Structures are given as C-alpha cells and as structure tokens.
C-alpha cells in the first residue's frame, strides 16, 4: 500500500513535475520525524526512501561536516577535502547522468545569511554554485533535484532565496490530523475519543516530542511496569487508583522517578472519575516543559489564576471582555478579534484584567522573552521559531506587556542593521494574516501608545482597543478594594457603603495604589487587633503617600481616550468629547508631561 504524502511533500512534487523548480529549500520543522507506514523516520530518510524512492538512482549529500559524499548509488563524487572542487566534480556528474538527488542539510553552515563583509569567500562561492545550478537549463533537463534544508529562511543566503527558480517549501508543525495519526500509532489501545483529546492537548508539539512524551527510547529509562508501580504507590487508596496508574504510566514515558512524583502526587485527592482529565493535565504540563525547552527561553507561559469576577471597578471593560471570552470558549472564530490593545496609565490594572480575560476565555498564553540577539540573523531566526510554535499551539494568546518598549518607533538605531524594522514588519504580517483569526491572538499592553507604530495598531491587527482609567468615584474605588480583599483571601467583612465613603477622597489613586493601601490596612489591623478594617483603612489613608505624577497620568489617560475603538468603553467625562477636543487636550497634556 502506497503511503500518503504530507501536504508539503505533495506541493513539492507538484512543483517539480510542473517544471517550476528543481531546487527546493525545505525550512521550519526540518528536525522532526515523519510517520511513514507506522514508522518514524527523519527528514533525510523520508526524502531518500519515500519522496525520491526508486525514481533517483543516485543521492548525494553536501554538508560542512562531510563535504560531498554519495549515500545512494555508486557515483564518483567528492574530493580531497576541497569543498568547491568536490562541487565541481559533482556538477560534472550531474551534467552527464540522469536522475540524481542532492541533499544539503544544515545549509546555513555552507551558505549563511549575513552582510557581505561577514561572509567568507568560500561561502559566497558555494552560494553562487547552487544559484547557478538552479538556473542551468541543461542540469534541470537531466531530471536532477536539489533539497536545501534549513530551519530558518532568515539564516540562509539571500542569493539562494531571491532566485525565481528556487522554491521555498515550509515543513509545518504537525496539525491536528497528523497528531491524531501519531497518537494512534504510539498508543493503539486508546479509545478514539481519548486519541482525539490527547492530540488536541498536544498542539504545538513536534511528532518527535509526542513520541518522546508517550514512550521512551532510552534503555535506561523506567519501564512502563515500573512507572505504573510507582504511580500506584503515589495514588495509594485514591479512587480508581489502578486504572489511573495505568494511564499515568503511559504518559510519563522517559521521565525520572523524581519527575513522576512531582507531577503525580498532587492528584492524590482528585475525585473518582477524573482520571482522564488528570492525564490531560499531565500532558499539558509536559507540553509546556518541552516547548519552553524547544524555544530556549524565547517564550514563557503565562499563568492565569483569576477570572474576570476577581476584577473590581471596571464593569464597562469586564462586560465587553466577558463577551469576547464567551465567543472564544465557544470556538466562534469569525467574530474573534485578531488582537487587543490595552492602553492606560501605569497601575490602572491592564495586565491583571487581560490575564483574567485569558482565564475566562480558556486561552493558553505566552509572553515573548529574549527574542533580540546581538548576532547577525539570530533575532529573525528566533522570531520565526516562536511564530511557528505559537501558531501550531493555537488557539493561544501572545501577551506583550510594555509593548512600546518592544515595538516602539524608537526601537533600533545605529548598529541595528535594520533588524528592528524587519522584526516589526514580520510581526505585522503575521498579525494581519486572517488564517490566524481565532488561532493566535496578540494582546498589547502599554501606557505610551503614541510610541507604537500606527500601522501595528490598525483594525485587522489590534481590533479592540481598551482604555483603562483609575476608579472614578468612591464606589468604584471600594469595588477595587473589595476585589483585592477577596483575592488575598482576607476573611474580613466590611460594609460596602461605608468603605465607599472612606474611599471618596482618594481621587487619583491607581489600582496599584489601592492595593498597596489595602495591604497596609490589613497589616495595621493585624498589629492592632482591636481595630476594625475601616478604622485600619482610615489610618492607612493618613499614612500612605501615593505617587505624584499628575501631568503624566493625565497625558496617559488622554492617550487611552484617543486610542479607544468605542465611546461606550469611556467614562462619562470623556464619552461625549469630540475628536477635535480630545486631540487639543492631548496636545496640551503632552507639552505639560514631556516638556517640563
């Protein structure tokens, strides 16, 4: 039975048979395994054994490590260590012999992308050789094909990529259907419903990572029986311990006893019937570990402990976000925003509220970390790796706090070599790709939206712009304080009306100020147990000194007003202002805040 080809391989074959190209750059997920007839093979083995098969009599590999060597057939190619001489020898073979496949793994080591002054003469010559071959009509007529393999296009010489006779083919991360097939092969005893749940929870993982997660190839690893015995001991007399231990044993392959104890022990108190959900949670935990390792510190998962019900004093925002969260939970991709922009003064609760939204929407979220690098091309490589990973993990949110620092107009400068411009251009391209609607949502948070690229803020990238303000009156400030008390599990009852009266004089206090004030009140009450919370709160108000940055806060509030996408999200004092008045006030506030 003939194996079905993955979509990227079908596209490659179609382009080759149509004569569009005979040189193909394979990029992105090139270090993964591919499932062929129930067996996992690497990309090179797939190209030789399945894609090329018997159609090419000769396969030659060109690499920085081994030079030019024949790995299938008996072609006399290669040389005495001189790479260019060996390539010329290979060219003579290609001109006289039909049906040769050339594979170039780790092509960035032979033809790196860099400014001309940073590329050696030999590297320029190697890139020139492959560029010339791709355009040579005689070589193309002899039924030869070249596979150039690189993880990131940004790492490969632009001489190759700008060639119209070279086709770049993305090898994508496994999609849902591919993951289902992988799980079926690795766990043939699972029911189909479980297979689908496992595959869904494993989004963002490579096939080789799924294989490692579900079974161990290391001879020294604990056997499945040993893992099952350990888990059974950990579960003790918990409900359904035997069946749950069997499930855990299957999903903890390759883990040490210490790692298994750390993951499984918290499940001791789980109620009966929750074994499957526990396994899915374990998969989620191990997926996070694998992806963070794969991305080498480029992303960090965001933990969201509280929902929108933990937010106080921002009903106009939480009600809007609750509607978006509901659509996201229901999988309504058509009405899901491409992105959200949270704008407001420091301490207005932007980060907390948007994280609460993520919790209610059931969205996993990551933050970008350490994308930028001092090495030429590394920033672009890092960005491409992250974008490919988050897209495969979808639905997911990418949270970018203090976005003006990462994507502000002032980024870059001398020595930047255009890296910032290319990075922002790629981010904007990805954000506006409609295929990502409901799959990857960007959330930008900033108090200086004027520093953001205007093109990045447009609808289609950041559809909903949420303005954040300090609480407007005593009632709203009391709602914030009560939410803080609930969040810190303070088992203290307080009259809401009396608290609102106590908060009436706190004009200009941010949510962060109110939190600091509340914690101070709790501390004072603890020191003097005879005080009620209201008495301690009053003492805290007298003692606490909030930050004094009135001009800057006014400027940031007006920025939020000018950015918002809907008047209904604004407080009453701003809702009816004309655009002209808003801009006039904003210009005046900017002068006061920035030109002191």
């Amino acid at each position: 039975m003939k194996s079905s080809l993955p979509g990227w391989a079908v596209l490659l074959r179609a382009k080759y048979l149509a004569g569009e190209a005979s040189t193909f750059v394979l990029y992105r997920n090139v270090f993964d395994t591919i499932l062929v007839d129930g067996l996992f093979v690497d990309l090179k083995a797939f190209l030789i054994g399945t894609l090329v098969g018997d159609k090419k009599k000769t396969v030659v590999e060109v690499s920085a490590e081994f030079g030019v060597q024949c790995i299938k057939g008996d072609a006399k190619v290669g040389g005495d260590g001189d790479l260019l001489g060996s390539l010329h020898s290979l060219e003579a073979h290609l001109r006289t012999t039909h049906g040769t496949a050339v594979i170039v793994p780790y092509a960035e080591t032979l033809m790196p992308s860099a400014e001309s002054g940073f590329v050696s003469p030999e590297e320029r010559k190697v890139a020139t050789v492959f560029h010339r071959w791709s355009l040579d009509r005689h070589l193309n007529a002899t039924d030869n094909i070249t596979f150039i393999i690189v993880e990131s296009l940004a790492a490969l010489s632009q001489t190759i990529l700008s060639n119209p006779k070279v086709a770049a083919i993305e090898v994508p991360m496994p999609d849902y259907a591919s993951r289902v097939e992988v799980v079926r092969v690795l766990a043939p005893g699972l029911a189909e419903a479980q297979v689908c749940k496992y595959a869904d929870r494993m989004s963002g993982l490579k096939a080789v990572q799924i294989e490692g997660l579900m079974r161990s190839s290391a001879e020294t690893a604990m056997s499945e029986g040993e893992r099952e015995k350990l888990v059974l001991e950990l579960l003790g007399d918990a409900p359904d311990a035997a069946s749950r231990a069997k499930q855990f044993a299957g999903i903890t392959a390759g883990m040490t006893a210490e790692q298994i104890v750390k993951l499984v022990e918290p499940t001791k108190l789980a109620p009966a019937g929750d074994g499957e959900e526990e396994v899915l949670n374990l998969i989620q935990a191990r997926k996070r570990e694998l992806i963070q390792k794969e991305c080498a510190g480029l992303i960090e998962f965001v933990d969201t402990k509280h929902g929108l019900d933990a937010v106080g004093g921002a009903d106009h925002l939480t009600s809007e976000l609750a509607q978006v969260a509901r659509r996201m939970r229901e999988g309504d991709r058509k009405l899901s925003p491409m992105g959200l922009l949270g704008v407001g003064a420091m301490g207005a609760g932007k980060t907390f509220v948007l994280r609460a939204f993520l919790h209610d929407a059931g969205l996993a979220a990551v933050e970008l970390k350490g994308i930028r690098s001092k090495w030429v091309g590394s920033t672009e490589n890092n960005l491409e790796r992250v974008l490919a990973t988050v897209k495969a993990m979808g639905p997911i949110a990418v949270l970018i706090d203090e976005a003006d620092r990462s994507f502000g107009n002032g980024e870059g400068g001398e020595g930047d070599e255009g890296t910032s411009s290319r990075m922002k251009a790629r981010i904007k391209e990805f954000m506006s790709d409609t295929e990502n609607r409901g799959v990857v949502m960007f959330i930008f948070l900033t108090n200086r939206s004027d520093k953001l690229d205007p093109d990045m803020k447009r609808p289609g990238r950041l559809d909903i712009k949420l303005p954040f303000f300090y609480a407007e009156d005593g009632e709203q400030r009391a709602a914030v304080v009560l939410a803080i008390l609930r969040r810190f599990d303070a088992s203290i009852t307080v009259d809401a009306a009396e608290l609102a009266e106590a908060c009436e004089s706190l004009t200009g206090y941010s949510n962060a100020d109110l939190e600091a004030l509340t914690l101070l009140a709790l501390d004072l009450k603890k020191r003097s147990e005879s005080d009620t919370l209201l008495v301690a709160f009053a003492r805290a108000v007298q003692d606490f000194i909030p930050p004094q940055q009135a001009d800057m806060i006014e400027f940031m509030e007006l920025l939020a007003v000018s950015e918002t996408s809907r008047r209904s999200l604004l407080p009453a004092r701003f809702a009816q202002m004309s655009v002209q008045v808003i801009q006039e006030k904003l210009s005046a506030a900017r002068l006061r805040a920035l030109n002191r």
Side-chain angles (χ1 to χ4, degrees), residues 6-22:
W8 65 264
V10 173
L11 175 62
L12 186 154
R13 184 174 63 177
K15 286 181 175 291
Y16 177 69
L17 294 176
E20 291 184 32
S22 60

Side-chain angles (χ1 to χ4, degrees), residues 401-416:
D401 212 343
E402 297 187 353
D404 54 287
R405 294 181 181 270
S406 300
F407 301 107
N409 291 324
E411 280 296 315
E414 292 186 15
D416 187 58

Side-chain angles (χ1 to χ4, degrees), residues 43-87:
L43 178 60
K44 187 169 78 171
F46 173 77
L47 294 175
I48 297 171
T50 302
L51 192 60
V52 170
D54 298 330
K55 300 179 183 66
K56 307 298 179 190
K57 297 178 292 183
T58 306
V59 178
V60 177
E61 180 178 312
V62 180
S63 67
E65 183 179 8
F66 299 110
V68 179
Q69 60 175 348
C70 182
I71 57 177
K72 178 183 176 183
D74 55 1
K76 305 301 180 184
V77 295
D80 56 0
D82 176 20
L83 180 60
L84 284 172
S86 298
L87 287 174

Side-chain angles (χ1 to χ4, degrees), residues 103-120:
I103 299 178
V104 190
Y106 302 99
E108 72 278 10
T109 61
L110 294 174
M111 302 170 279
S113 171
E115 298 297 325
S116 58
F118 295 95
V119 178
S120 71

Side-chain angles (χ1 to χ4, degrees), residues 24 38 40 65 85 111 130 187 258 278 315 331 392 454 464 476 496 507 512 523 531 544 547 567 570 578 590:
F24 296 90
F40 293 93
E65 183 179 8
M111 302 170 279
F130 282 97
E258 183 180 352
E278 288 173 340
D315 295 343
I464 300 178
Q476 287 187 9
T507 304
D523 182 53
D531 285 350
F544 184 74
R567 289 185 180 274
L570 294 172
S578 67
R590 179 183 282 109

Side-chain angles (χ1 to χ4, degrees), residues 343-395:
V343 188
M346 54 279 198
K350 299 183 292 295
T351 302
F352 184 82
V353 172
L354 268 302
R355 287 193 178 203
F357 157 73
L358 292 173
H359 180 278
D360 284 5
L363 276 178
V366 295
E367 286 189 273
L368 304 187
K369 299 285 185 180
I371 297 291
R372 293 181 181 276
S373 170
K374 64 180 180 179
W375 303 111
V376 176
S378 292
T379 297
E380 291 91 334
N381 295 350
N382 292 342
L383 181 60
E384 289 300 331
R385 181 186 301 179
V386 166
L387 293 181
T389 300
V390 297
K391 185 168 184 176
M393 289 171 61

Side-chain angles (χ1 to χ4, degrees), residues 170 333 338 391 394 429-441 460:
E170 179 184 3
R333 290 184 54 179
M338 297 287 282
K391 185 168 184 176
E429 178 189 8
F430 188 87
M431 289 173 66
S432 59
D433 185 348
T434 54
E435 290 187 2
N436 293 331
R437 186 180 293 276
V439 178
V440 181
M441 175 190 290

